[in-house]
Amino acid sequence: MANPSAQSRPRIGLLGTGPWAARTHAPALAAHEGVEFAGVWGRRPEAAAELAAASGTRAYDDLDALLAECDAVAVALPPDVQAPIAARAARAGCHLLLDKPLATTVAGAREVVDAADAAGVASVVFCTLRFAPETARWIEEQRATGGWYVAEARWLGSLYGPGSDSPYAASPWRREKGGLWDVGPHVLSVLLPVLGEVTALTAAKGPEDTHHLVLRHASGASSTATLSLSAPPEAAGAAITLHGTAGRAALPPWNGAVDAYARAVDALLAAAATGTPHPCDARFALRLTELLTEAETRATTP
């Protein structure tokens, strides 16, 4: 890892070159005044070269060469590619800005946590709603309010709905794992900090990739979640509503991901500087992986 004391700003490299990297990670890193965007590595060198040129940085063909130049890495890779590479980056001494889901196996997620712990590096997982200012503020307000009785979450994407032309539809892992794994982390990243740890879970399949979850929380509250990437466009939308002694509270709308990603960069820098883990770190993402794995198993068990 580069010596942070020798750098005016922490150096951060980007691992990945897909649509999410090009639309969110790279623009946020290039515009962030608190970091130096050190370079891009990808599994397709030509894509890395193109993205690096568009972002004003350099491409690396050798992953280890980029890791040696960086204080931190931002990972924009499919989850089961992300996990071993993130562990490798941690062992190289790089702090980790990770995507959700961290992995689609508990063993893969645990490898990242163990590597980060052993290396003493900080980690932040980019669950958008935890960093978009509108929703992050709302989550903290509802956690402080307390007294919630039930919560209802619905995240219906139309990635695979009729007429979809989303570039993310070509993602093999999303096609295989569906809304449970793609949008499920977003919903859980809100429900857990507000209602508490999940103490019991059941799940059932709906149409196509749709999953219905029923959760019991340590606070005594219960929640339901409906997750899909295959809804008709007319039915698409996301909503989380809480009901309790304070009345009813609905998750507010938020504006895009680039600004939220910049706040995730800030959170990683703070965790690295202070040694205080961020609430949405690799260990939290491991817990999400455990819950999603349990939901998947329960939904497919006769």
Side-chain angles (χ1 to χ4, degrees), residues 9-300:
R9 294 177 296 168
R11 292 170 54 82
I12 185 166
L14 175 59
L15 313 182
T17 60
W20 187 232
R23 294 181 175 203
T24 300
H25 295 66
L29 294 173
H32 199 293
E33 296 182 354
V35 301
E36 180 181 346
F37 191 0
V40 178
W41 173 87
R43 293 174 294 166
R44 295 178 296 124
E46 68 282 2
E50 181 179 350
L51 182 55
S55 305
T57 188
R58 61 171 290 194
Y60 283 75
D61 292 335
D62 185 335
L63 172 59
D64 291 319
L66 177 56
L67 297 180
E69 291 295 321
C70 289
D71 303 300
V73 291
V75 188
L77 294 164
D80 292 326
V81 177
Q82 168 175 244
I85 287 181
R88 181 173 166 183
R91 289 191 286 267
C94 295
H95 302 293
L96 304 174
L97 183 50
L98 303 160
D99 249 337
K100 59 78 205 163
L102 178 56
T104 61
T105 67
V106 173
R110 186 170 289 119
E111 180 188 8
V112 180
V113 171
D114 290 346
D117 285 349
V121 299
S123 62
V124 165
V125 177
F126 183 51
C127 294
T128 309
L129 301 181
R130 295 291 288 272
F131 297 98
E134 305 89 346
T135 51
R137 183 167 51 250
W138 182 88
I139 290 168
E140 290 307 312
E141 289 171 351
Q142 307 323 313
R143 173 160 47 188
T145 298
W148 301 111
Y149 185 66
V150 297
E152 301 161 339
R154 182 185 70 256
W155 197 304
L156 301 178
S158 59
L159 196 67
Y160 302 122
S164 171
D165 60 356
S166 170
Y168 303 111
S171 165
W173 81 264
R174 284 185 176 87
R175 175 68 70 175
E176 178 187 357
K177 306 301 283 188
L180 176 66
W181 286 89
D182 189 23
V183 300
H186 290 308
V187 168
L188 291 173
S189 78
V190 175
L191 296 178
L192 267 66
V194 174
L195 303 180
E197 177 59 88
V198 173
T199 58
L201 178 158
T202 191
K205 283 275 288 175
E208 303 195 62
D209 75 308
T210 303
H211 281 74
H212 303 283
L213 278 57
V214 180
L215 311 173
R216 182 76 173 174
H217 296 267
S219 65
S222 63
S223 63
T224 60
T226 297
L227 312 165
S228 181
L229 295 180
S230 302
E234 298 81 1
I240 300 176
T241 306
L242 307 172
H243 304 263
T245 56
R248 180 178 177 274
L251 184 76
W254 64 98
N255 293 316
V258 174
D259 289 345
Y261 196 78
R263 289 167 60 93
V265 174
D266 292 338
L268 181 66
L269 297 179
T274 64
T276 301
H278 190 273
C280 199
D281 64 359
R283 190 168 297 280
F284 178 75
L286 167 60
R287 182 57 181 148
L288 298 187
T289 303
E290 292 171 341
L291 293 171
L292 294 169
T293 299
E294 182 178 356
E296 186 175 62
T297 299
R298 290 185 178 276
T300 54

